[in-house]
Amino acid sequence: MTPLWPHIAILGFVTAQRLVELPIARANTARLLAAGGREAGARHYPLIVAVHAAWLAALWWLAPGRPIHAGLLILFALVEIGRVWVLQALGRRWTTRIIVVPGETLVARGPYRFVRHPNYIVVCAEIALLPLVFGLWQVALVFSVLNAAILFVRIRAENRALEGVHR
C-alpha cells in the first residue's frame, strides 16, 4: 500500500498556499480600491473560485494512495517557483481580482518583461500538472478545459480594462 503522507504533504502545501494567498489578495484589493482602482470582470470571478475549489477538492478526493510521478512533481515545483516570481513582480498589486488603478503603469519587471500574463501561464501549468503527478489525466483534462474557458473570458476582460486606462 502506498503511504498517504506524501499525498497529504503535496496537497496540503498547495491548499495552504492558496489559503495564505487569500487574505493577501483581499488586502491588496482593498488597498487598490481605496487608491481609486476599479474592478473589472467581477461577474466571472465566482466561476474562477468554483473551478479552483473544485480542482483542489477533486485532487483531495482522488489523489491519495495513487502513485506519485517524481519527474512531474519536480516540474510542478519549478512552476511554483514561477508562481513566486510572478507574485514578487506584482508585489502589492497582486490580487485574485482584476483591479485597475488609473494612472498606474503596467508592471514590466520579472516575468512581465517577457509575456503579458505570466500568472495565467503558471495557473494553467498548475492545473494540468498537479493531477498528472498522481496519474489523474482525466482530472488534468477536465479542469484544463474549464480553466481555459474561464481564462478566455478573464483575459479578455483584463485586456479591455487595461486598454481603457493604459493607452
Side-chain angles (χ1 to χ4, degrees):
M1 178 168 203
T2 306
L4 292 181
W5 71 265
H7 303 80
I8 293 169
I10 295 164
L11 295 174
F13 168 78
V14 174
T15 303
Q17 180 184 50
R18 299 308 195 268
L19 293 175
V20 166
E21 289 173 355
L22 287 176
I24 295 168
R26 273 190 226 108
N28 286 345
T29 296
R31 191 182 48 70
L32 292 168
L33 291 173
R38 293 186 316 271
E39 182 172 5
R43 290 188 320 174
H44 72 261
Y45 183 74
L47 291 173
I48 291 173
V49 173
V51 167
H52 285 254
W55 172 74
L56 265 177
L59 289 171
W60 276 104
W61 181 39
L62 298 170
R66 296 185 58 90
I68 295 173
H69 189 286
L72 291 174
L73 182 57
I74 291 168
L75 186 56
F76 182 78
L78 292 174
V79 168
E80 294 310 282
I81 291 169
R83 182 181 188 81
V84 170
W85 192 26
V86 166
L87 296 180
Q88 285 181 333
L90 289 173
R92 296 180 58 179
R93 291 168 73 175
W94 177 80
T95 179
T96 56
R97 296 179 177 269
I98 302 169
I99 308 293
V100 179
V101 179
E104 290 280 334
T105 59
L106 291 175
V107 172
R109 63 185 172 275
Y112 290 87
R113 289 178 301 187
F114 309 110
V115 293
R116 185 159 184 177
H117 298 290
N119 190 55
Y120 301 141
I121 294 169
V122 167
V123 170
C124 288
E126 288 173 325
I127 285 177
L129 274 173
L130 192 55
L132 294 176
V133 166
F134 304 108
L136 296 169
W137 65 268
Q138 300 93 333
V139 173
L141 179 63
V142 166
F143 283 96
S144 290
V145 169
L146 291 172
N147 186 57
I150 195 65
L151 280 182
F152 177 79
V153 172
R154 182 173 179 92
I155 290 171
R156 287 182 57 186
E158 187 169 323
N159 286 341
R160 276 194 306 272
L162 291 173
E163 287 169 8
V165 174
H166 302 287
R167 291 181 188 234

